C-alpha cells in the first residue's frame, strides 16, 4: 500500500482515502505518525498546521491504523479503520482516545462494538497502572485478580457482539483475535454466521485454518507447512522427514525470539552432524527486516517465511498467536515437546539438549 502525505483531493474517489484530523491542545508543527497496524513498515507522517492534519493514500482493503504524536510526547494514540473514503477525525489532546469520526461506516460499526466494553476497558487501564505501582505483593495480586475478572467480562461481551451483531469486517476481526480462546466447535459455529465475502478475508483464512487443524499436543504427527527461504527457494517441513527437528516460530521484531536464536545457534552447531535440524519460520511481513535480523543472528539453518505475519495460514496451522513458540519433532514425525516463550533460563536450554540427545539415540 502506498500513502502520500499532505495532498488534498480535488474530488473524492472510491479508490483513494483522505484522512483529515482537526486537533486541539497540540502545538503547531507537532509531528504525527500514521501506521498500518497489520504491516508496521507502512508508516506516514505529517505536521500539524493550524490544528489540522492531512493524510492521503489508498488501501486495497480496509485496515486498522494508529495515529499518534511524536514518540517523545505522552503515550497517546488513536486506532481507527481506514477505508477508501473521506474520513474526518475531530478532538482534543486530553481525550485523544475518544476522537470523533465522520465519513466512515466501518468506524461507526467499530465504535458500536468497542462501546459495549469501553467502561470496563478504562477501569482495567486504571487498575493496571495501580498494580504496576503497588509495592505490596499481596495487594498487587488482589488488583491483578480484579483485572482478570474484567478480562473475562470483556471477552464475554466481545463474543456476544460477534454472535448478535450483523456480520461485518469488524466482527470477523474480533473473532480472529479470540480464535485461541474458543473450542473448535464454538469457533466454527460463530464463523458460520459470516457470509463468504467475510469468510474469505485474511481474518477468515486464519480462522478456517484453525477450524481444520486438530488439537496440537504431544504425540500427534506434525503438520506439513512450507515457505520460501531468503534465496527464494521453497522449503517444506516434510523435506526433513526422518530427522529430529525443531520447528521454531520467530520474528525480527520479537526480542525474546532474537535471544532464543543465540541458543538455537549453539544447539544446531552441536547436533546438526548427528541428524538434528532446525526450521525457523519467520512471522515477519518485511523482507528486509527479516533478512537483516537473520544475518545479525547468524542463522545458518533452514529459515523460511511467507511474509504474511500473523495472518499466515502456515503459522495458523500451528495456532500461533504469540512468539517465540517451538515444536520438537522426533524421527517418526511426532511432536514430542512444545515450548512457549523464552526467558534465558539455562536449565531450559540444558533440558532441551538432553531431550534432543535422547531422540538422536
Amino acid at each position: 500500500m502506498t500513502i502520500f502525505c499532505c495532498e488534498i483531493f480535488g474530488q473524492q474517489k472510491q479508490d483513494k482515502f483522505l484522512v483529515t484530523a482537526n486537533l486541539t491542545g497540540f502545538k503547531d508543527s507537532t509531528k504525527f505518525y500514521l501506521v498500518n497496524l497489520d504491516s508496521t513498515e507502512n508508516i506516514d507522517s505529517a505536521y500539524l498546521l493550524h490544528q489540522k492534519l492531512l493524510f492521503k493514500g489508498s488501501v486495497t482493503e480496509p485496515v486498522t491504523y494508529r495515529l499518534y504524536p511524536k514518540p517523545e510526547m505522552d503515550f497517546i494514540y488513536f486506532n481507527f479503520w481506514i477505508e477508501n473514503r473521506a474520513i474526518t477525525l475531530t478532538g482534543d489532546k486530553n481525550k485523544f482516545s475518544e476522537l470523533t469520526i465522520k465519513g466512515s461506516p466501518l468506524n461507526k460499526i467499530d465504535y458500536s462494538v468497542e462501546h459495549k466494553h469501553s467502561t470496563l476497558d478504562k477501569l482495567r487501564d486504571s487498575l493496571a497502572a495501580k498494580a504496576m505501582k503497588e509495592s505490596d505483593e499481596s495487594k498487587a495480586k488482589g488488583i491483578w485478580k480484579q483485572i482478570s475478572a474484567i478480562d473475562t467480562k470483556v471477552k464475554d461481551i466481545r463474543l456476544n457482539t460477534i454472535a448478535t451483531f450483523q456480520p461485518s469486517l469488524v466482527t470477523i476481526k474480533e473473532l480472529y483475535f479470540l480464535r485461541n480462546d474458543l473450542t473448535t466447535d464454538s469457533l466454527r459455529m460463530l464463523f458460520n454466521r459470516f457470509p463468504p465475502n467475510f469468510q474469505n478475508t485474511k481474518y477468515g483464512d486464519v480462522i478456517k485454518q484453525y477450524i481444520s487443524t486438530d488439537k496440537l499436543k504431544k504425540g500427534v504427527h506434525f503438520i506439513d507447512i512450507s515457505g520460501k527461504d531468503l534465496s527464494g527457494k521453497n522449503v517444506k517441513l516434510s523435506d526433513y522427514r526422518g530427522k529430529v527437528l525443531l520447528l521454531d516460530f520467530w520474528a525480527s521484531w520479537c526480542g525474546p525470539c532474537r535471544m532464543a536464536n543465540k541458543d538455537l545457534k549453539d544447539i544446531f552447531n552441536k547436533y546438526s552432524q548427528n541428524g538434528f535440524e532446525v526450521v525457523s519460520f519467520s512471522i515477519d511481513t518485511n523482507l528486509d527486516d527479516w533478512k537483516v535480523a537473520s544475518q545479525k543472528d547468524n542463522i545458518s539453518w533452514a529459515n523460511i517465511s511467507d511474509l504474511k505475519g500473523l495472518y499466515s495460514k502456515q503459522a495458523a496451522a500451528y495456532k500461533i498467536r504469540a512468539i517465540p513458540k517451538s515444536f520438537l519433532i522426533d524421527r517418526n514425525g511426532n511432536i514430542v515437546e512444545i515450548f512457549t516463550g523464552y526467558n534465558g533460563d539455562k536449565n531450559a536450554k540444558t533440558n532441551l539438549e538432553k531431550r534432543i540427545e535422547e531422540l538422536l539415540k
Side-chain angles (χ1 to χ4, degrees):
M1 191 198 81
T2 303
I3 299 177
F4 305 92
C5 173
C6 304
E7 298 179 27
I8 303 178
F9 285 37
Q11 183 177 359
Q12 175 69 22
K13 296 181 181 179
Q14 289 300 308
D15 61 346
K16 300 287 183 181
F17 70 76
L18 175 65
V19 175
T20 304
N22 300 300
L23 305 173
T24 57
F26 295 96
K27 293 181 180 179
D28 229 21
S29 298
T30 297
K31 189 174 185 179
F32 281 80
Y33 297 89
L34 187 67
V35 56
N36 181 333
L37 292 181
D38 283 350
S39 181
T40 53
E41 69 269 16
N42 288 336
I43 301 175
D44 197 8
S45 62
Y47 290 93
L48 187 72
L49 298 175
H50 308 298
Q51 300 183 339
K52 181 174 288 189
L53 289 171
L54 295 171
F55 294 95
K56 173 185 174 183
S58 64
V59 289
T60 56
E61 61 181 356
V63 67
T64 48
Y65 272 74
R66 173 168 294 179
L67 177 69
Y68 60 94
K70 56 185 180 179
E72 57 265 31
M73 294 187 65
D74 295 335
F75 185 66
I76 57 175
Y77 62 86
F78 182 70
N79 294 341
F80 66 108
W81 287 83
I82 285 186
E83 48 187 327
N84 288 324
R85 294 174 176 269
I87 300 172
T88 302
L89 310 178
T90 305
D92 184 78
K93 177 184 178 181
N94 293 325
K95 291 189 176 181
F96 198 72
S97 63
E98 301 175 15
L99 299 182
T100 299
I101 307 177
K102 291 184 179 180
S104 169
L106 199 55
N107 279 294
K108 187 175 182 180
I109 296 170
D110 188 53
Y111 173 80
S112 64
V113 170
E114 295 292 324
H115 184 66
K116 288 283 187 179
H117 53 81
S118 59
T119 301
L120 287 172
D121 292 339
K122 291 176 183 177
L123 176 59
R124 189 195 191 284
D125 289 344
S126 64
L127 286 173
K130 183 179 178 181
M132 296 298 288
K133 295 177 182 178
E134 181 57 65
S135 57
D136 187 305
E137 186 176 344
S138 62
K139 289 182 180 180
K141 285 183 178 179
I143 297 171
W144 284 112
K145 187 175 180 179
Q146 293 179 59
I147 291 172
S148 179
I150 290 173
D151 288 342
T152 298
K153 289 180 181 179
V154 169
K155 186 181 79 171
D156 290 343
I157 293 170
R158 293 173 71 186
L159 288 172
N160 182 257
T161 60
I162 296 167
T164 59
F165 276 44
Q166 182 175 344
S168 68
L169 203 58
V170 173
T171 52
I172 191 71
K173 186 174 184 180
E174 281 284 273
L175 186 58
Y176 161 81
F177 278 127
L178 294 173
R179 64 195 185 279
N180 283 75
D181 301 317
L182 298 169
T183 64
T184 300
D185 287 342
S186 295
L187 187 60
R188 182 185 294 107
M189 179 187 70
L190 290 172
F191 185 65
N192 286 340
R193 291 196 72 246
F194 292 88
N197 60 315
F198 293 123
Q199 290 189 354
N200 294 328
T201 60
K202 61 188 178 184
Y203 311 114
D205 285 344
V206 170
I207 295 169
K208 280 185 280 188
Q209 183 64 62
Y210 264 61
I211 291 171
S212 65
T213 299
D214 291 332
K215 186 176 181 180
L216 287 170
K217 59 183 180 180
K218 291 193 288 185
V220 303
H221 198 271
F222 78 85
I223 300 167
D224 201 15
I225 60 173
S226 64
K228 290 185 177 180
D229 64 19
L230 287 167
S231 69
K233 177 185 176 183
N234 194 64
V235 177
K236 297 186 296 183
L237 205 58
S238 57
D239 293 340
Y240 300 91
R241 200 181 300 274
K243 302 278 189 177
V244 173
L245 179 66
L246 186 72
L247 171 62
D248 179 64
F249 290 90
W250 75 293
S252 64
W253 42 264
C254 169
C257 302
R258 304 293 299 279
M259 291 190 293
N261 279 343
K262 296 178 181 179
D263 284 351
L264 286 183
K265 178 185 174 184
D266 294 340
I267 293 170
F268 177 73
N269 289 339
K270 187 174 182 179
Y271 298 107
S272 61
Q273 300 300 315
N274 301 317
F276 173 72
E277 296 287 349
V278 177
V279 174
S280 288
F281 191 100
S282 169
I283 310 297
D284 278 290
T285 57
N286 183 284
L287 175 61
D288 290 336
D289 290 345
W290 173 36
K291 183 177 181 179
V292 169
S294 299
Q295 291 172 341
K296 285 185 177 179
D297 293 355
N298 296 308
I299 296 179
S300 57
W301 53 89
N303 179 27
I304 61 176
S305 181
D306 58 9
L307 294 178
K308 293 184 179 179
L310 288 172
Y311 297 115
S312 166
K313 292 174 68 175
Q314 308 297 311
Y318 282 85
K319 299 193 174 183
I320 300 300
R321 186 171 69 172
I323 51 176
K325 190 164 187 176
S326 57
F327 301 80
L328 184 61
I329 301 167
D330 66 18
R331 293 185 189 275
N332 296 317
N334 297 318
I335 297 172
V336 295
E337 297 289 348
I338 300 174
F339 306 97
T340 302
Y342 178 83
N343 60 8
D345 186 354
K346 292 183 178 180
N347 289 330
K349 180 183 177 183
T350 300
N351 291 335
L352 173 58
E353 290 186 359
K354 287 181 179 178
R355 197 72 176 95
I356 292 170
E357 290 172 0
E358 291 171 2
L359 296 173
L360 288 173
K361 289 180 180 178

